[in-house]
Amino acid sequence: MTVLAALVLALYAVLAGVLAPGRLARAAWPQRAPRLALTAWLALAAAFTAAVALTAYHLALTGPGAHAHGLLALLEPGTRAAGPEGPAVLVPIALAAAWPLARIAAAARRARRDRTEHLERLTLAGRTDPGLGAVLLDHPTPVAYCLHRGPVVISSGTVARLTDGQLYAVIQHERAHLAGRHHLLLTLGAGLADAFRGLPLGRGLRAQIAPLLEMLADDRAARSCRPEDLAAAMCEVGTPHPSPATLPAGGGSRTLLRMRRLLRPAPRPRPAVRLVALALIALAPLVPYLLTCGPTPG
């Protein structure tokens, strides 16, 4: 039965790592509910990791005396679930979990190093402007971004080109990134994308996490400023050197989509739909355990 469990788990890993990411990346609803979509991407990563780890675990258990576990035990009535055959069978689980954790740690080190280097350059090239509540760079190119954990950075070109309302909207967008601790999610997504490189899951994480975070910041900023001001500012500002440590206010391939969201917002999913979606997202990483390791009914 553990061979069957390994086969079912491998198929679930294909679903979470290959099939579902492609559908999610092509779907239109994430722009209506970016927070829900962000949660879905992270749940797929957790589900894929759990499925791979438990596949290896059940392959290690295969042999004489191996018994059914979890819901799959219903296919073999009369058997009793057996516990692990020894600590050695936990090694595959540890290895499967260690790889994404190691890549997340490496992404965090890169982001921290990049932020430190960027702060050193800002010390030489910028000055704190109390009126803006940001570091002001004396440069004609209109740029606006924030570093992980701050500060917000604005160029003199941005101040000169934007109206007061647009400048306020840009600063509110950057403060939304900081208030939401989006740098943590950006680092998490970068690490998971590295861990699953070559899979649709890894490509989707790399392509989707940052735009979804920008949409979240847009939505939060739009509560305290005119959406028209923020949309207009997106056309003018960006970040000259995108890096793991910066979250820009504008620029990028999704700018037109973000402007459309602000100027012609689509209705959000109904609460009942969101509740069902959240339940499915929460269940996705638990399915491998419930099928093959959880308590056996009856």
Side-chain angles (χ1 to χ4, degrees), residues 26-275:
R26 293 190 298 270
W29 67 264
Q31 61 180 287
R32 297 169 54 200
R35 191 181 304 277
L36 194 63
L38 184 65
T39 306
W41 278 109
L42 297 179
L44 283 179
F48 179 78
T49 302
V52 170
L54 290 176
T55 298
Y57 170 79
H58 281 278
L59 287 175
L61 278 181
T62 301
H67 295 288
H69 296 256
L71 296 177
L72 286 182
L74 295 174
L75 299 179
E76 192 177 351
T79 62
R80 298 179 60 187
E85 303 297 328
V89 297
L90 298 178
V91 173
I93 294 181
L95 291 176
W99 174 244
L101 290 176
R103 302 316 303 163
I104 292 169
R109 287 193 299 271
R110 289 196 305 271
R112 186 166 54 248
R113 183 178 64 248
D114 190 88
R115 180 179 185 272
T116 299
E117 294 173 353
H118 205 117
L119 281 175
E120 291 174 354
R121 293 194 294 269
L122 284 178
T123 301
L124 298 174
R127 58 181 175 82
T128 301
D129 187 311
L132 293 174
V135 172
L136 183 63
L137 290 176
D138 186 14
H139 199 281
T141 302
V143 295
Y145 60 93
C146 68
L147 295 180
H148 295 182
R149 305 192 306 276
V152 175
V153 181
I154 302 287
S155 71
S156 58
T158 300
V159 176
R161 185 169 299 191
L162 300 185
T163 66
D164 290 344
Q166 292 167 356
L167 182 60
Y168 176 77
V170 165
I171 293 175
Q172 290 303 109
H173 174 95
E174 298 306 330
R175 288 175 178 169
H177 279 311
L178 297 176
R181 297 183 179 274
H182 291 173
H183 65 281
L184 297 178
L185 293 171
L186 194 64
T187 299
L188 178 61
L192 292 172
D194 285 344
F196 307 135
R197 183 180 303 174
L199 291 173
L201 176 59
R203 293 192 292 271
L205 286 164
R206 192 174 303 281
Q208 300 294 326
I209 295 297
L212 289 172
L213 291 175
E214 293 301 325
M215 293 179 193
L216 286 176
D218 291 341
D219 293 343
R220 182 161 183 161
R223 299 173 195 166
S224 57
C225 70
R226 295 176 66 244
E228 295 83 359
D229 286 335
L230 182 56
M234 287 180 192
C235 298
E236 302 290 344
V237 302
T239 178
H241 302 291
S243 74
T246 58
L247 287 159
S253 60
R254 302 295 180 95
T255 299
L256 289 178
L257 172 60
R258 291 169 55 200
M259 292 174 63
R260 216 164 29 239
R261 289 183 72 251
L262 288 167
L263 299 176
R264 291 186 294 180
R268 301 296 177 89
R270 295 190 299 273
V273 175
R274 294 175 67 90
L275 186 61

Side-chain angles (χ1 to χ4, degrees), residues 68-74 81 286 288-298:
H69 296 256
L71 296 177
L72 286 182
L74 295 174
L286 297 177
Y289 172 80
L290 295 175
L291 285 176
T292 61
C293 295
T296 302

